[in-house]
């Protein structure tokens, strides 16, 4: 890992963020409808004078190019601006909601990986595999909203084991985590089992077995290592796109978090908040990709030699 | 003012309808009070599951959001209070007088009222607040209009506890406006020092004279209020005038109706507001829970028939639409009796204005509708069975958004009407668009049909929706009739309730006779509550009124 390599990655990361910001800015300004009109809603009897005043207050009366440059200049200094709708600094809005989403996302990803590994390693017999495959299909194809509502109805409303949500500690995190983790676990489990099967058919498996290595050691030291490469890639991708899944879960369980902030910001055309979230998403993907690039050589010795 | 059915037996549906009716009647009579059992208990916490929070809308003087006014009612008091019958009662004002020319409103204030930050409530505080409402910097979206808009001149301090509102021209809806949260009182200290932080809200700036003060606001999660122990100035239309009973009031944000209802049954919340008809019906079947249904006053859910251009410019076609859709069947199927069908462009609970003589006068009549279409010359048929005239299909476009269609399951009604009209040979195009496109087409009048409801306990709502100069917002039908203009203008100026009712009666008949709009159903705020809580009332809008609530739960 040379300094030059790191500098190159950093420059690429900046390019990605700039590209995302520019694209988001363009889209937000190309979609029809005035942001102030969208914010006020269709039934608002607010006069043109008041609308003009709000537009001026938000800087929306400036030419679009100037708005774009102002936005970039502010972003460069770390200023994310002020939310149109919430009338608060965007940085404060995002940072106060982010921990809740990170907590939910990390818990769900952790549970998903655990479930996937356990199911893929344990469900090896014909029958067990059939059951696992059916459950995976069910978990992937059920809408998150439906799964969540079902879990709530049984475990919260009927059995009363867990509260719906709120600042009620770890118990309130269980149902949202399971709702978010199930489809991810199912995809990872499918991929991991497929990888294990493929690795088992490789010629090296015969040679390892010929060396007198037992099935447990074969699985743990050789097969799992081969199968984990695509799983790591997919986990990284899923981790980066968890934000989308949290929108539904946060909405259903009435949890605070970035997902709901995103939804509200888009529906109310709160441009500064949407732009900040685009930056956040871009940074998360860049970081996740960097981590994956660093992980590959550890799993695959061939890559180590190449470097 | 601005804002998601089950199949059941006929017996259950009828029973629900009767119950809703009884609740509605009780609502008219006693201000929607639920049966209180025993002596009110002091202390405890009442937790309410609510649909939303007033994010960025804590400045009541600039916001137009329902959620701001309903959530912050417990923090901000008004000069006067309005009961469900439309009558006004003293609140922070002990008495008031309207000058004979209708231009001067003089209020004598209570002399024992303090804001929760220790500031004194007096005539200067009233003036500071109304000055803030009309200040262009406030960019008021609703409050300034409630204060009279261009009819408002100024507020004068007569003495320490007497204040006068001076108008440029008479504005009859003023008293109703003054009773709303939008014209409630914010601490003058906050107005002077941090008016720019009002919208974001928080314990330091959301300061009023109300029975509760904001203790904590956790965005996206909850609002916690703590009792104002010094409160002695409750409005004249409630039994309690001292401090509220529960020590804390917590509003938990649970956006999904099914989750609010579930949290109520599991005891996580004591009250659940804005329930869907099917969730409310489900709750009613369980012991220990009751539903309060208050029909909304103002403009019911209504279809506006754009007469400015195209096919609906022909009154016969509009009448055919009015009579050719089976409103009774659609409303019953979608809402299972929880919402009543509408017969007038005003809801029955709109104070001193609703005209019941319209009820039953324009029932579903497919034959009449067909003959009207024939008479209008749409006699040909195309390959798909739609009527044609001069080579043009009888086709109407309905402008909507996906969010609008999912609200109160309105999309299902639209589909029922589409099927009804197809039987008549009329094509109804339902293609929901994105909100930005929707607003652009609305402003340009590019639609045949558009829909909404507008909750307000004052018939002046008809002026907004029928006055020629207000097209297309709110006059989305593009009504331009000198006689109607005259009626609604006079009604807004006259302070004689009888004359107002007479004028609004004429307007309501006119709107149906000329099929300017098609009123469909009167929604109701369905509030579920546990038998552990008592004293829940609703205000004239049907919003919950927490001041009188107490809980048996310790």
């Amino acid at each position: 890992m040379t300094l030059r390599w790191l500098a190159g990655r950093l420059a690429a990361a900046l390019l990605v963020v700039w590209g995302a910001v520019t694209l988001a800015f363009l889209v937000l300004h190309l979609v029809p409808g005035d942001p102030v009109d969208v914010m006020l809603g269709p039934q608002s009897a607010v006069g043109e004078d008041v609308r003009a005043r709000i537009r001026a207050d938000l800087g929306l009366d400036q030419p679009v190019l100037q708005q774009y440059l102002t936005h970039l200049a502010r972003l460069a200094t770390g200023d994310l601006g002020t939310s149109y709708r919430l009338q608060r600094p965007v940085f404060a809005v995002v940072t106060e909601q982010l921990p809740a989403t990170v907590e939910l996302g990390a818990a769900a990803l952790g549970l998903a990986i655990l479930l996937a590994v356990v199911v893929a390693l344990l469900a090896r017999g014909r029958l067990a595999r059939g059951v696992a495959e059916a459950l995976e299909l069910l978990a992937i194809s059920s809408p998150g909203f439906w799964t969540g509502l079902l879990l709530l109805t049984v475990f919260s409303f009927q059995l009363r084991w867990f509260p719906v949500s709120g600042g009620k500690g770890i118990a309130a995190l269980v149902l949202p985590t399971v709702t978010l983790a199930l489809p991810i676990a199912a995809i990872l489990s499918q991929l991991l089992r497929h990888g294990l099967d493929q690795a088992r058919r490789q010629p090296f498996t015969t040679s390892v077995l010929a060396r007198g290595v037992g099935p447990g050691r074969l699985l743990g030291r050789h097969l799992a290592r081969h199968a984990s490469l695509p799983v790591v890639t997919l986990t990284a991708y899923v981790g980066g796109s968890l934000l989308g899944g949290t929108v539904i879960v946060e909405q259903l369980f009435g949890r605070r978090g970035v997902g709901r902030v995103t939804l509200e910001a888009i529906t109310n055309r709160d441009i500064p908040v949407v732009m900040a979230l685009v930056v956040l998403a871009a940074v998360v993907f860049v970081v996740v990709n960097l981590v994956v690039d660093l992980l590959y050589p550890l799993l695959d010795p061939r890559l180590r030699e190449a470097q | 003012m601005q804002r998601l059915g089950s199949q059941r037996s006929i017996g259950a549906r009828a029973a629900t309808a009767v119950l809703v009716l009884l609740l509605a009647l009780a609502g008219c009579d006693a201000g929607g009070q639920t049966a209180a059992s025993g002596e009110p208990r002091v202390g405890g916490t009442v937790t309410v599951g609510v649909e939303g929070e007033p994010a960025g809308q804590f400045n009541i003087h600039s916001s137009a959001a329902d959620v701001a006014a309903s959530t912050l009612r417990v923090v901000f008091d008004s000069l006067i209070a309005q009961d469900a019958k439309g009558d006004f009662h003293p609140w922070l004002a002990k008495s008031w007088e309207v000058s004979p020319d209708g231009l001067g409103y003089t209020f004598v204030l209570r002399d024992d009222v303090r804001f929760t930050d220790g500031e004194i409530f007096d005539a200067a505080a009233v003036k500071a607040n109304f000055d803030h409402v009309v200040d262009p910097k406030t960019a008021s979206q609703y409050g300034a209009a409630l204060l009279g808009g261009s009819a408002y001149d100024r507020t004068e301090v007569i003495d320490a506890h007497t204040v006068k509102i001076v108008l440029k021209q008479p504005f009859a809806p003023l008293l109703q406006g003054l009773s709303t949260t939008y014209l409630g009182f914010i601490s003058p200290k906050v107005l002077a020092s941090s008016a720019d932080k009002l919208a974001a809200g928080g314990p330091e700036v959301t300061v009023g004279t109300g029975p509760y003060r904001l203790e904590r606001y956790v965005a996206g999660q909850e609002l916690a209020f703590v009792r104002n122990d010094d409160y002695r100035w409750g409005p004249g239309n409630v039994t309690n005038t001292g401090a509220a009973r529960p020590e804390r009031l917590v509003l938990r944000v649970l956006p999904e109706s099914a989750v609010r209802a579930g949290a109520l049954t599991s005891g996580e919340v004591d009250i659940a507001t804005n329930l869907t008809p099917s969730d409310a019906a489900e709750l009613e079947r369980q012991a220990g829970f009751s539903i309060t249904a208050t029909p909304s006053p103002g403009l019911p859910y209504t279809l506006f028939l754009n007469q400015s251009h195209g096919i609906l410019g022909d009154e016969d076609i509009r009448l055919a639409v009015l009579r050719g859709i089976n409103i009774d069947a659609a409303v019953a199927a979608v809402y299972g009796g929880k919402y009543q069908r509408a017969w007038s462009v005003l809801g029955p609970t709109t104070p001193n204005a609703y005209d019941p003589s319209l009820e039953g006068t324009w029932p579903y009549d497919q034959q009449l509708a067909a003959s009207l279409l024939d008479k209008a010359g749409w006699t040909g048929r195309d390959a798909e069975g739609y009527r044609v005239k001069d080579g043009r299909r009888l086709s109407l476009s309905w402008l909507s958004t996906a969010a609008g269609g999912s609200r109160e399951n309105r999309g299902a009604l639209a589909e029922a009407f589409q099927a009804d009209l197809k039987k008549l040979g009329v094509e109804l195009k339902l293609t929901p668009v994105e909100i930005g496109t929707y607003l652009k087409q609305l402003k340009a009048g590019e639609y045949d049909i558009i829909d909404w409801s507008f909750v307000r306990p004052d018939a002046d709502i008809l002026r907004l929706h029928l006055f020629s100069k207000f097209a297309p917002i709110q006059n989305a039908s593009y009504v331009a009739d000198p006689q109607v203009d005259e009626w609604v203008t006079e009604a807004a100026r006259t302070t004689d309730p009888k004359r107002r009712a007479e004028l609004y009666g004429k307007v309501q008949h006119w709107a149906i006779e000329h099929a300017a709009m098609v009123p469909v159903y009167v929604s109701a705020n369905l509030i579920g509550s546990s038998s552990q809580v008592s004293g829940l009332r609703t205000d004239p809008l049907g919003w919950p009124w927490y001041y009188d609530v107490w809980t048996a739960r310790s």
Side-chain angles (χ1 to χ4, degrees):
Chain A
M1 310 283 142
T2 62
L3 207 64
R4 224 179 99 195
W5 179 83
L6 206 68
R9 291 303 297 239
L10 198 69
L14 280 173
L15 201 67
V16 168
V17 173
W18 172 77
V21 167
T22 305
L23 204 65
F25 189 89
L26 271 176
V27 170
L28 283 165
H29 281 86
L30 283 177
V31 287
D34 175 85
V36 172
D37 287 349
V38 173
M39 251 188 299
L40 292 177
Q43 293 189 16
S44 178
V46 173
E48 214 32 67
D49 50 334
V50 174
R51 286 172 199 259
R53 167 129 211 142
I54 299 173
R55 255 176 230 126
D57 285 348
L58 301 175
L60 288 166
D61 54 342
Q62 308 285 325
V64 176
L65 184 67
Q66 194 181 331
Q67 286 184 48
Y68 172 69
L69 292 174
T70 310
H71 187 82
L72 275 190
R74 273 210 311 239
L75 203 59
T77 62
D79 179 5
L80 295 174
T82 305
S83 160
Y84 293 169
R85 191 177 74 96
L86 306 171
Q87 294 289 307
R88 295 180 58 216
V90 175
F91 185 79
V93 172
V94 175
T95 49
E96 97 188 355
Q97 300 285 330
L98 197 56
T101 300
V102 170
E103 181 187 64
L104 175 64
L109 199 58
L111 180 67
I113 293 169
L114 186 75
L115 278 175
V117 171
V118 169
V119 171
L121 294 183
L122 291 184
R124 303 300 300 163
R126 229 185 140 77
L127 181 72
R129 282 179 70 115
V131 173
E133 270 165 16
L135 287 175
E136 282 161 8
L137 196 66
L138 188 70
I140 294 170
S141 46
S142 304
F145 187 86
W146 185 85
T147 313
L149 202 53
L150 194 74
L151 288 169
L152 269 173
T153 304
V154 176
F155 297 104
S156 181
F157 307 156
Q158 303 289 333
L159 297 170
R160 302 184 191 188
W161 290 355
F162 303 104
V164 171
S165 65
K168 303 239 156 95
I170 204 86
L173 190 61
V174 176
L175 296 180
T177 301
V178 174
T179 305
L180 194 54
L182 282 179
I184 303 171
I187 291 172
L188 294 183
S189 161
Q190 275 184 341
L191 196 68
L192 191 58
R193 197 175 38 248
H194 184 73
L196 288 175
D197 291 347
Q198 260 196 340
R200 195 180 291 278
R201 284 196 295 271
Q202 298 283 325
F204 79 81
T205 306
T206 321
S207 73
V208 170
L209 287 171
R211 286 207 320 257
V213 172
R217 194 173 155 84
L218 169 73
L219 189 67
R221 266 194 72 86
H222 301 273
L223 300 182
R225 204 155 170 172
H226 278 258
S228 64
L229 276 172
V231 176
V232 167
T233 311
L234 191 71
T235 307
Y237 173 76
V238 168
S241 56
L242 265 176
L243 189 66
T246 59
V247 174
I248 290 158
V249 174
E250 285 171 0
Q251 178 83 2
L252 182 65
F253 289 88
R255 270 182 69 89
R256 60 200 316 233
V258 178
R260 271 172 79 195
V261 169
T262 309
L263 185 72
E264 297 273 320
I266 292 172
T267 51
N268 291 288
R269 201 144 315 161
D270 195 343
I271 297 173
V273 177
V274 178
M275 300 295 281
L277 292 165
V278 166
V279 172
L280 180 71
V283 168
V284 168
F285 267 99
V286 166
V287 170
V288 166
N289 276 304
L290 188 68
V291 170
V292 170
D293 284 354
L294 293 173
L295 268 176
Y296 278 152
L298 298 179
L299 291 166
D300 191 342
R302 292 168 298 188
L303 287 171
R304 251 176 289 176
E305 281 151 24
Q307 274 186 358
Chain B
M1 62 160 219
Q2 296 160 348
R3 321 216 181 230
L4 300 159
S6 69
Q7 304 250 321
R8 309 163 48 206
S9 73
I10 290 167
R13 217 174 268 171
T16 311
V18 169
L19 189 71
V20 169
L21 196 68
L22 286 173
L23 284 164
L25 290 172
C28 296
D29 206 37
Q33 187 175 12
T34 56
S37 46
E39 269 299 293
R41 186 180 155 274
V42 175
T45 297
V46 170
T47 308
V48 185
V50 296
E51 188 177 18
E53 61 193 276
Q57 305 277 354
F58 281 79
N59 185 351
I60 50 170
H61 292 166
S62 70
S63 175
D66 286 345
V67 66
S70 60
T71 305
L72 300 172
R73 182 78 278 186
V74 293
V75 173
F76 299 110
D77 292 339
S78 296
L79 280 178
I80 52 175
Q82 186 184 30
D83 66 23
K85 276 187 278 186
D87 296 333
F88 296 104
H89 300 267
W91 198 348
L92 296 185
K94 288 194 288 197
S95 62
W96 62 93
E97 214 177 87
V98 185
S99 68
D101 61 4
L103 296 174
Y105 287 67
T106 309
F107 297 85
V108 179
L109 310 176
R110 292 182 65 119
D111 55 13
D112 56 350
V113 180
R114 277 180 183 271
F115 290 91
T116 50
D117 63 354
E119 287 284 291
I120 291 166
F121 171 81
D122 55 11
V126 173
K127 181 174 165 53
N129 270 270
F130 291 162
D131 284 354
H132 178 249
V133 172
V134 298
D135 188 337
K137 271 190 284 196
T138 304
S140 178
Q141 295 166 29
Y142 199 38
L146 291 173
L147 206 46
S150 59
Y152 174 83
D153 186 16
R154 64 188 188 274
T155 301
E156 284 174 2
V157 175
I158 305 292
D159 62 45
H161 297 103
T162 312
V163 69
K164 187 177 176 188
I165 297 173
V166 181
L167 300 178
K168 289 178 193 153
Q169 63 198 42
F171 181 65
L174 180 63
L175 288 177
Q176 195 279 323
L178 289 171
S179 72
T180 64
T181 319
Y182 304 107
L183 294 180
F185 298 97
I186 303 169
S187 165
K189 201 157 98 186
V190 174
L191 291 178
S193 66
S194 29
D196 57 325
K197 297 192 180 69
L198 276 173
E204 302 81 25
V205 291
T206 308
V207 179
T209 59
Y212 284 93
R213 70 183 162 80
L214 182 63
E215 185 185 28
R216 191 175 69 243
Y217 169 45
V218 187
Q221 189 173 304
E222 64 181 33
L223 290 112
F225 299 94
V226 64
R227 186 174 60 208
N228 174 7
D229 290 326
D230 300 328
Y231 198 73
R232 300 282 176 275
W233 43 86
N237 59 327
V238 293
T239 44
N240 181 21
T241 51
R245 278 77 177 228
E247 205 183 330
R248 277 194 166 69
L249 174 71
V250 178
L251 305 191
R252 282 265 306 277
V253 183
L254 299 169
E256 297 300 326
S257 169
V259 175
R260 290 194 295 280
L264 178 59
T265 58
S266 69
E268 246 188 288
V269 301
D270 304 303
I271 296 167
T273 65
N274 284 62
L275 296 174
T276 61
S278 55
D279 290 331
E282 188 65 42
L283 264 173
E284 259 170 358
R285 283 195 278 272
Q286 303 196 35
F289 302 99
S290 58
I291 296 291
T292 306
T294 311
S296 303
L299 186 88
Y301 174 69
T302 296
L303 313 184
F304 297 86
L305 307 182
N306 183 356
Q307 52 180 269
S308 70
H309 69 280
I311 297 166
L312 289 178
D314 185 336
E315 189 170 307
D316 282 335
I317 313 278
R318 296 201 305 271
L319 283 168
V321 173
L322 183 86
R323 304 299 293 273
I325 55 175
N326 195 343
I327 297 174
D328 279 316
V331 170
V334 178
Y335 305 118
K338 286 280 180 240
Y339 298 159
Q340 300 302 307
R341 80 149 293 169
W343 287 104
S344 170
V345 290
L346 280 183
T349 53
T350 316
N352 308 320
Y354 177 65
D355 190 339
S357 68
L358 275 166
E359 286 172 17
T361 58
W362 50 283
Y364 175 53
D365 190 336
Q366 216 181 342
Q367 276 181 340
L368 176 73
S371 67
L372 282 164
L373 295 171
D374 291 342
K375 185 181 145 207
W378 294 87
T379 46
R381 297 271 178 164
D382 65 13
E384 289 175 63
Y386 292 113
R387 288 170 185 265
V388 286
K389 181 180 165 184
D390 307 329
R392 217 171 121 215
R393 180 185 278 187
L394 183 41
S395 177
L396 304 172
S397 71
W398 184 329
L399 182 61
S400 66
T401 60
S406 65
R407 182 180 166 193
E408 290 177 356
N409 208 4
R410 289 169 177 175
L413 288 178
E415 280 166 20
F417 297 154
Q418 186 182 43
D420 291 339
L421 289 174
K422 190 171 183 181
K423 282 186 221 152
L424 286 167
V426 180
E427 183 185 40
L428 182 59
K429 286 193 203 148
L430 306 170
T431 39
V433 294
E434 189 268 334
I435 182 74
T437 310
Y438 174 90
L439 288 169
K440 240 174 118 173
Q441 293 191 15
L442 166 58
K443 277 185 158 179
E446 289 166 5
Y447 56 87
D448 294 308
I449 299 177
I450 200 163
D451 61 293
W452 61 63
S453 59
F454 205 113
V455 180
R456 199 185 159 190
D458 194 296
D460 189 43
I461 201 71
L462 292 180
R463 188 170 57 92
L464 289 181
H465 288 90
L466 286 157
F467 190 70
S468 56
K469 289 202 178 97
F470 296 154
I473 301 168
Q474 315 282 339
N475 179 3
S477 297
Y478 283 84
V479 170
D481 186 281
Q483 177 72 70
V484 173
D485 283 356
E486 210 180 292
W487 287 333
V488 293
T489 309
E490 193 194 334
R493 289 185 181 175
T494 181
T495 43
D496 174 17
K498 263 207 182 119
R499 179 68 186 146
R500 285 193 89 197
E502 192 186 319
L503 289 163
Y504 287 130
K506 287 181 182 173
V507 178
Q508 290 169 73
H509 276 272
W510 188 93
I512 299 299
E513 276 156 24
H514 296 272
M517 312 173 192
V518 185
V520 179
Y521 70 88
V522 180
S523 80
N525 189 354
L526 303 172
I527 306 170
S529 58
S530 149
S531 55
Q532 297 287 314
V533 295
S534 309
L536 179 66
R537 288 167 181 272
T538 52
D539 74 358
L541 290 162
W543 296 340
W545 175 249
Y546 302 117
Y547 171 47
D548 265 357
V549 173
W550 56 274
T551 176
R553 217 192 295 269
S554 46

